Short mmCIF file of all heavy atoms in Angstrom, two decimals:
data_model
loop_
_atom_site.label_atom_id
_atom_site.label_comp_id
_atom_site.label_asym_id
_atom_site.label_seq_id
_atom_site.Cartn_x
_atom_site.Cartn_y
_atom_site.Cartn_z
N GLU A 2 52.13 216.87 135.35
CA GLU A 2 51.03 217.83 135.10
C GLU A 2 50.16 217.38 133.95
O GLU A 2 48.92 217.50 133.98
CB GLU A 2 51.56 219.21 134.84
CG GLU A 2 52.10 219.88 136.06
CD GLU A 2 52.83 221.21 135.75
OE1 GLU A 2 52.73 221.71 134.59
OE2 GLU A 2 53.55 221.69 136.67
N VAL A 3 50.76 216.86 132.90
CA VAL A 3 50.02 216.35 131.74
C VAL A 3 49.07 215.29 132.12
O VAL A 3 47.90 215.30 131.81
CB VAL A 3 50.94 215.92 130.65
CG1 VAL A 3 50.24 215.11 129.53
CG2 VAL A 3 51.75 217.05 129.99
N PHE A 4 49.60 214.28 132.89
CA PHE A 4 48.71 213.23 133.31
C PHE A 4 47.64 213.69 134.31
O PHE A 4 46.48 213.21 134.21
CB PHE A 4 49.54 212.07 133.89
CG PHE A 4 50.17 211.23 132.82
CD1 PHE A 4 51.50 211.30 132.53
CD2 PHE A 4 49.39 210.37 132.09
CE1 PHE A 4 52.09 210.56 131.59
CE2 PHE A 4 49.96 209.55 131.02
CZ PHE A 4 51.37 209.67 130.84
N LEU A 5 47.96 214.56 135.21
CA LEU A 5 46.94 215.15 136.12
C LEU A 5 45.80 215.85 135.37
O LEU A 5 44.61 215.68 135.69
CB LEU A 5 47.61 216.05 137.10
CG LEU A 5 48.35 215.39 138.24
CD1 LEU A 5 49.12 216.48 139.05
CD2 LEU A 5 47.48 214.60 139.19
N THR A 6 46.29 216.57 134.32
CA THR A 6 45.29 217.31 133.50
C THR A 6 44.36 216.32 132.73
O THR A 6 43.17 216.48 132.63
CB THR A 6 45.96 218.23 132.55
OG1 THR A 6 46.79 219.14 133.24
CG2 THR A 6 45.00 218.99 131.67
N ILE A 7 44.99 215.29 132.23
CA ILE A 7 44.23 214.29 131.48
C ILE A 7 43.15 213.67 132.42
O ILE A 7 41.99 213.50 132.06
CB ILE A 7 45.13 213.18 130.90
CG1 ILE A 7 45.91 213.78 129.64
CG2 ILE A 7 44.31 211.92 130.46
CD1 ILE A 7 46.98 212.87 129.15
N TRP A 8 43.56 213.24 133.63
CA TRP A 8 42.66 212.67 134.59
C TRP A 8 41.56 213.67 135.05
O TRP A 8 40.42 213.36 135.00
CB TRP A 8 43.37 212.14 135.82
CG TRP A 8 42.42 211.50 136.78
CD1 TRP A 8 41.98 212.06 137.94
CD2 TRP A 8 41.75 210.30 136.65
NE1 TRP A 8 41.11 211.21 138.55
CE2 TRP A 8 40.96 210.13 137.78
CE3 TRP A 8 41.76 209.28 135.71
CZ2 TRP A 8 40.13 208.92 137.96
CZ3 TRP A 8 40.97 208.15 135.90
CH2 TRP A 8 40.18 208.04 137.05
N SER A 9 41.95 214.94 135.30
CA SER A 9 40.99 215.93 135.73
C SER A 9 40.00 216.29 134.69
O SER A 9 38.81 216.59 134.97
CB SER A 9 41.78 217.24 136.16
OG SER A 9 42.66 216.96 137.25
N ASN A 10 40.42 216.30 133.41
CA ASN A 10 39.54 216.71 132.31
C ASN A 10 38.94 215.47 131.53
O ASN A 10 38.44 215.70 130.44
CB ASN A 10 40.28 217.66 131.40
CG ASN A 10 40.68 218.91 132.07
OD1 ASN A 10 39.99 219.43 132.92
ND2 ASN A 10 41.87 219.40 131.68
N ARG A 11 39.05 214.34 132.09
CA ARG A 11 38.66 213.13 131.36
C ARG A 11 37.20 213.14 130.87
O ARG A 11 36.94 212.61 129.83
CB ARG A 11 38.86 211.89 132.22
CG ARG A 11 38.05 211.73 133.38
CD ARG A 11 38.55 210.60 134.30
NE ARG A 11 37.79 210.51 135.55
CZ ARG A 11 37.86 211.24 136.61
NH1 ARG A 11 38.78 212.16 136.61
NH2 ARG A 11 37.15 211.04 137.69
N HIS A 12 36.29 213.73 131.59
CA HIS A 12 34.86 213.78 131.22
C HIS A 12 34.61 214.76 130.11
O HIS A 12 33.67 214.55 129.36
CB HIS A 12 33.98 214.08 132.40
CG HIS A 12 34.09 213.07 133.50
ND1 HIS A 12 33.70 211.74 133.34
CD2 HIS A 12 34.59 213.10 134.76
CE1 HIS A 12 34.00 211.05 134.45
NE2 HIS A 12 34.51 211.87 135.36
N LYS A 13 35.39 215.81 129.97
CA LYS A 13 35.11 216.83 128.97
C LYS A 13 36.02 216.80 127.76
O LYS A 13 35.85 217.54 126.85
CB LYS A 13 35.05 218.18 129.59
CG LYS A 13 36.27 218.59 130.39
CD LYS A 13 36.05 219.89 131.12
CE LYS A 13 37.21 220.13 132.10
NZ LYS A 13 36.96 221.18 133.00
N THR A 14 37.02 215.95 127.78
CA THR A 14 37.97 215.88 126.68
C THR A 14 37.55 214.91 125.63
O THR A 14 37.21 213.79 125.97
CB THR A 14 39.38 215.47 127.18
OG1 THR A 14 39.81 216.38 128.19
CG2 THR A 14 40.42 215.43 126.09
N THR A 15 37.60 215.31 124.37
CA THR A 15 37.38 214.42 123.26
C THR A 15 38.56 214.42 122.36
O THR A 15 39.26 215.47 122.25
CB THR A 15 36.11 214.85 122.44
OG1 THR A 15 36.29 216.14 121.97
CG2 THR A 15 34.84 214.71 123.29
N LEU A 16 38.88 213.30 121.76
CA LEU A 16 40.00 213.21 120.86
C LEU A 16 39.60 213.59 119.42
O LEU A 16 38.72 212.96 118.88
CB LEU A 16 40.59 211.79 120.88
CG LEU A 16 41.12 211.24 122.20
CD1 LEU A 16 41.62 209.85 122.05
CD2 LEU A 16 42.19 212.15 122.71
N LYS A 17 40.33 214.58 118.92
CA LYS A 17 40.13 214.99 117.55
C LYS A 17 40.98 214.04 116.62
O LYS A 17 40.56 213.70 115.52
CB LYS A 17 40.51 216.41 117.35
CG LYS A 17 40.21 216.88 115.96
CD LYS A 17 40.49 218.48 115.85
CE LYS A 17 40.09 219.01 114.50
NZ LYS A 17 40.40 220.40 114.38
N TYR A 18 42.14 213.68 117.10
CA TYR A 18 43.04 212.78 116.36
C TYR A 18 43.36 211.58 117.25
O TYR A 18 42.47 211.21 118.07
CB TYR A 18 44.35 213.52 115.96
CG TYR A 18 44.04 214.76 115.12
CD1 TYR A 18 44.10 216.05 115.63
CD2 TYR A 18 43.71 214.60 113.77
CE1 TYR A 18 43.83 217.14 114.85
CE2 TYR A 18 43.42 215.66 112.98
CZ TYR A 18 43.52 216.97 113.54
OH TYR A 18 43.24 218.04 112.78
N SER A 19 44.51 211.06 117.26
CA SER A 19 44.85 209.91 118.11
C SER A 19 45.18 210.42 119.50
O SER A 19 45.52 211.61 119.68
CB SER A 19 46.01 209.13 117.49
OG SER A 19 47.20 209.95 117.57
N PHE A 20 45.17 209.48 120.43
CA PHE A 20 45.58 209.81 121.79
C PHE A 20 47.00 210.23 121.86
O PHE A 20 47.39 211.16 122.53
CB PHE A 20 45.33 208.61 122.75
CG PHE A 20 45.80 208.91 124.15
CD1 PHE A 20 44.95 209.65 125.01
CD2 PHE A 20 46.99 208.42 124.66
CE1 PHE A 20 45.40 209.97 126.27
CE2 PHE A 20 47.44 208.71 125.94
CZ PHE A 20 46.60 209.48 126.74
N ARG A 21 47.83 209.60 121.04
CA ARG A 21 49.28 209.94 120.97
C ARG A 21 49.44 211.34 120.54
O ARG A 21 50.28 212.12 121.11
CB ARG A 21 49.98 209.01 119.97
CG ARG A 21 51.44 209.26 119.88
CD ARG A 21 52.14 208.28 118.86
NE ARG A 21 52.08 206.93 119.40
CZ ARG A 21 53.14 206.23 119.68
NH1 ARG A 21 54.31 206.77 119.58
NH2 ARG A 21 53.01 204.99 120.13
N THR A 22 48.73 211.83 119.55
CA THR A 22 48.78 213.22 119.10
C THR A 22 48.28 214.14 120.23
O THR A 22 48.92 215.18 120.46
CB THR A 22 47.91 213.43 117.86
OG1 THR A 22 48.35 212.54 116.84
CG2 THR A 22 47.96 214.86 117.35
N TYR A 23 47.22 213.80 120.89
CA TYR A 23 46.64 214.61 121.96
C TYR A 23 47.72 214.72 123.12
O TYR A 23 47.95 215.87 123.53
CB TYR A 23 45.37 213.94 122.50
CG TYR A 23 44.85 214.58 123.76
CD1 TYR A 23 44.25 215.81 123.75
CD2 TYR A 23 45.03 214.01 124.97
CE1 TYR A 23 43.75 216.46 124.85
CE2 TYR A 23 44.60 214.62 126.16
CZ TYR A 23 43.99 215.77 126.08
OH TYR A 23 43.52 216.42 127.26
N ILE A 24 48.27 213.64 123.55
CA ILE A 24 49.18 213.71 124.68
C ILE A 24 50.48 214.43 124.31
O ILE A 24 51.08 215.16 125.13
CB ILE A 24 49.44 212.30 125.33
CG1 ILE A 24 49.92 212.50 126.74
CG2 ILE A 24 50.35 211.50 124.44
CD1 ILE A 24 49.90 211.27 127.58
N SER A 25 50.88 214.33 123.02
CA SER A 25 52.08 215.03 122.53
C SER A 25 51.84 216.52 122.56
O SER A 25 52.76 217.27 122.99
CB SER A 25 52.43 214.57 121.14
OG SER A 25 52.79 213.22 121.11
N ALA A 26 50.65 216.95 122.13
CA ALA A 26 50.36 218.38 122.11
C ALA A 26 50.27 218.88 123.51
O ALA A 26 50.81 219.99 123.84
CB ALA A 26 49.08 218.61 121.34
N ALA A 27 49.63 218.11 124.42
CA ALA A 27 49.53 218.52 125.79
C ALA A 27 50.90 218.76 126.43
O ALA A 27 51.15 219.66 127.16
CB ALA A 27 48.73 217.50 126.63
N LEU A 28 51.83 217.77 126.12
CA LEU A 28 53.20 217.87 126.64
C LEU A 28 53.88 219.08 126.07
O LEU A 28 54.51 219.88 126.82
CB LEU A 28 54.01 216.56 126.28
CG LEU A 28 55.51 216.67 126.78
CD1 LEU A 28 55.54 216.70 128.31
CD2 LEU A 28 56.23 215.46 126.23
N LYS A 29 53.77 219.33 124.78
CA LYS A 29 54.39 220.47 124.13
C LYS A 29 53.96 221.79 124.81
O LYS A 29 54.81 222.57 125.15
CB LYS A 29 54.00 220.51 122.67
CG LYS A 29 54.63 221.65 121.86
CD LYS A 29 54.42 221.54 120.38
CE LYS A 29 52.98 221.68 120.02
NZ LYS A 29 52.73 221.80 118.59
N TYR A 30 52.69 221.94 125.00
CA TYR A 30 52.18 223.19 125.59
C TYR A 30 52.59 223.28 127.05
O TYR A 30 52.89 224.36 127.56
CB TYR A 30 50.71 223.33 125.43
CG TYR A 30 50.33 223.57 123.95
CD1 TYR A 30 49.54 222.68 123.31
CD2 TYR A 30 50.87 224.64 123.27
CE1 TYR A 30 49.24 222.87 121.94
CE2 TYR A 30 50.55 224.86 121.94
CZ TYR A 30 49.77 223.94 121.28
OH TYR A 30 49.49 224.17 119.97
N SER A 31 52.67 222.19 127.75
CA SER A 31 53.13 222.19 129.14
C SER A 31 54.63 222.63 129.20
O SER A 31 55.05 223.31 130.09
CB SER A 31 52.93 220.83 129.76
OG SER A 31 52.99 220.88 131.11
N ILE A 32 55.43 222.12 128.25
CA ILE A 32 56.82 222.53 128.19
C ILE A 32 56.94 224.03 127.89
O ILE A 32 57.73 224.70 128.51
CB ILE A 32 57.56 221.68 127.13
CG1 ILE A 32 57.74 220.20 127.64
CG2 ILE A 32 58.96 222.31 126.82
CD1 ILE A 32 58.23 219.25 126.55
N TYR A 33 56.18 224.48 126.98
CA TYR A 33 56.22 225.94 126.62
C TYR A 33 55.84 226.78 127.84
O TYR A 33 56.44 227.77 128.10
CB TYR A 33 55.22 226.28 125.51
CG TYR A 33 55.58 225.74 124.15
CD1 TYR A 33 54.61 225.43 123.26
CD2 TYR A 33 56.91 225.50 123.80
CE1 TYR A 33 54.92 224.89 121.98
CE2 TYR A 33 57.23 224.99 122.54
CZ TYR A 33 56.30 224.67 121.66
OH TYR A 33 56.58 224.17 120.44
N SER A 34 54.87 226.33 128.58
CA SER A 34 54.41 227.06 129.78
C SER A 34 55.56 227.03 130.82
O SER A 34 55.87 228.06 131.44
CB SER A 34 53.19 226.32 130.36
OG SER A 34 52.80 226.94 131.54
N LYS A 35 56.23 225.91 130.98
CA LYS A 35 57.36 225.84 131.91
C LYS A 35 58.46 226.78 131.51
O LYS A 35 59.08 227.50 132.34
CB LYS A 35 57.88 224.40 132.00
CG LYS A 35 59.00 224.15 132.99
CD LYS A 35 58.72 224.60 134.41
CE LYS A 35 57.93 223.57 135.10
NZ LYS A 35 57.65 223.93 136.52
N LEU A 36 58.81 226.80 130.23
CA LEU A 36 59.86 227.68 129.71
C LEU A 36 59.46 229.11 129.92
O LEU A 36 60.30 229.96 130.29
CB LEU A 36 60.17 227.37 128.22
CG LEU A 36 60.83 226.06 127.95
CD1 LEU A 36 60.82 225.80 126.43
CD2 LEU A 36 62.19 226.02 128.51
N ALA A 37 58.19 229.47 129.69
CA ALA A 37 57.70 230.85 129.90
C ALA A 37 57.81 231.21 131.35
O ALA A 37 58.23 232.32 131.70
CB ALA A 37 56.32 231.01 129.39
N SER A 38 57.50 230.28 132.27
CA SER A 38 57.57 230.64 133.66
C SER A 38 58.98 230.74 134.15
O SER A 38 59.28 231.51 135.05
CB SER A 38 56.84 229.58 134.56
OG SER A 38 57.48 228.39 134.53
N ARG A 39 59.94 230.07 133.48
CA ARG A 39 61.31 230.27 133.82
C ARG A 39 61.74 231.72 133.51
O ARG A 39 62.43 232.30 134.32
CB ARG A 39 62.19 229.37 132.87
CG ARG A 39 62.50 228.05 133.43
CD ARG A 39 63.57 227.46 132.57
NE ARG A 39 63.62 225.98 132.75
CZ ARG A 39 64.29 225.21 131.94
NH1 ARG A 39 64.95 225.67 130.92
NH2 ARG A 39 64.32 223.90 132.12
N LEU A 40 61.31 232.19 132.38
CA LEU A 40 61.66 233.60 132.06
C LEU A 40 61.04 234.57 133.04
O LEU A 40 61.64 235.54 133.45
CB LEU A 40 61.06 233.95 130.62
CG LEU A 40 61.81 233.34 129.46
CD1 LEU A 40 61.06 233.67 128.18
CD2 LEU A 40 63.23 233.84 129.32
N LYS A 41 59.80 234.25 133.45
CA LYS A 41 59.09 235.14 134.29
C LYS A 41 59.75 235.24 135.70
O LYS A 41 59.77 236.29 136.35
CB LYS A 41 57.69 234.68 134.44
CG LYS A 41 56.71 235.58 135.21
CD LYS A 41 55.32 235.04 135.18
CE LYS A 41 54.43 235.94 135.98
NZ LYS A 41 53.03 235.39 135.99
N TYR A 42 60.21 234.05 136.18
CA TYR A 42 60.69 233.99 137.55
C TYR A 42 62.24 233.95 137.68
O TYR A 42 62.71 233.66 138.76
CB TYR A 42 60.06 232.79 138.27
CG TYR A 42 58.55 232.93 138.43
CD1 TYR A 42 57.68 232.15 137.67
CD2 TYR A 42 58.06 233.91 139.28
CE1 TYR A 42 56.32 232.35 137.77
CE2 TYR A 42 56.68 234.10 139.45
CZ TYR A 42 55.82 233.27 138.66
OH TYR A 42 54.48 233.44 138.75
N GLN A 43 62.92 234.29 136.67
CA GLN A 43 64.40 234.32 136.76
C GLN A 43 64.77 235.37 137.77
O GLN A 43 64.28 236.51 137.69
CB GLN A 43 65.05 234.60 135.45
CG GLN A 43 65.28 233.43 134.63
CD GLN A 43 65.90 233.70 133.29
OE1 GLN A 43 65.86 234.86 132.83
NE2 GLN A 43 66.53 232.73 132.70
N ASN A 44 65.68 235.02 138.69
CA ASN A 44 66.16 236.02 139.66
C ASN A 44 67.41 236.69 139.06
O ASN A 44 68.54 236.15 139.25
CB ASN A 44 66.46 235.36 140.97
CG ASN A 44 65.25 235.21 141.82
OD1 ASN A 44 64.26 235.93 141.61
ND2 ASN A 44 65.24 234.27 142.78
#
C-alpha cells in the first residue's frame, strides 16, 4: 500500500526531508491504520 500510494501520488508529493524519512512516516501511518482496522473489525 505504501508503494502504491507513492506511485499514485508521485505528481503531487514533495519531500520535506529525505525520501527515507518520507517512506518511513508513510509506513508508520499505514501500520497504525492497519492496527486500527484490526480493532474495528475484530469478531
